[in-house]
Amino acid sequence: MFVKSTTRHIRIYAAEVQKNELVESDNMLTLDVDPDNEFNWDEDALQKVYRKFDELVEAASGEELSDYNLRRIGSDLEHFVRNLLQKGEISYNLKSRVLNYSMGLPKVESPETEGAYNL
């Protein structure tokens, strides 16, 4: 069984992709960001997630490769994604098959609030 961490928007596997299949690995982590395409991403925002992932993996180097340690990294990345959404660096994909607003209500500008945003 793979060592893995799966949150709503972040999936990390102790595996590498070979011929479109995940193959278990003791020294390679594979990151899947937003597998349900719930958000609109630009390359800058996606690269920020990858850089944060690299930082978290580096900080955990030397620790046991366990479900717990991967869940901790996955949880930290999930919070990072929420922060990107709150700062407006990513947005909800309103055409996604998943519209549960798991990170909070989308920001909507209305004439009554004259430019104010609601979460």
Side-chain angles (χ1 to χ4, degrees):
M1 177 180 248
F2 290 116
V3 177
K4 63 183 178 180
S5 166
T6 57
T7 66
R8 177 98 182 117
H9 306 102
I10 300 293
R11 295 182 184 162
I12 304 169
Y13 302 95
E16 58 185 308
V17 179
Q18 294 179 359
K19 298 181 185 178
N20 283 340
E21 301 274 330
L22 284 175
V23 177
E24 190 172 358
S25 174
D26 291 333
N27 60 357
M28 176 72 75
L29 296 178
T30 297
L31 174 64
D32 187 5
V33 178
D34 191 20
D36 293 320
N37 297 315
E38 189 172 346
F39 301 112
N40 296 310
W41 294 88
D42 66 14
E43 192 59 31
D44 282 344
L46 198 52
Q47 288 303 315
K48 285 181 182 183
V49 174
Y50 291 138
R51 283 193 301 272
K52 184 65 171 179
F53 174 70
D54 289 342
E55 289 173 20
L56 293 168
V57 169
E58 179 66 28
S61 69
E63 294 182 23
E64 176 186 4
L65 182 59
S66 66
D67 284 333
Y68 174 79
N69 288 331
L70 283 187
R71 280 195 310 268
R72 193 177 69 223
I73 292 170
S75 179
D76 287 347
L77 282 176
E78 187 82 7
H79 291 293
F80 187 76
V81 169
R82 178 187 303 263
N83 188 28
L84 291 175
L85 179 66
Q86 290 174 341
K87 291 186 336 188
E89 295 185 42
I90 61 174
S91 61
Y92 279 105
N93 175 6
L94 299 179
K95 295 180 182 176
S96 172
R97 66 179 183 84
V98 179
L99 290 176
N100 67 3
Y101 308 120
S102 60
M103 295 280 196
L105 293 176
K107 293 180 179 181
V108 178
E109 189 172 340
S110 69
E112 296 83 36
T113 59
E114 296 183 27
Y117 290 92
N118 299 315
L119 272 181

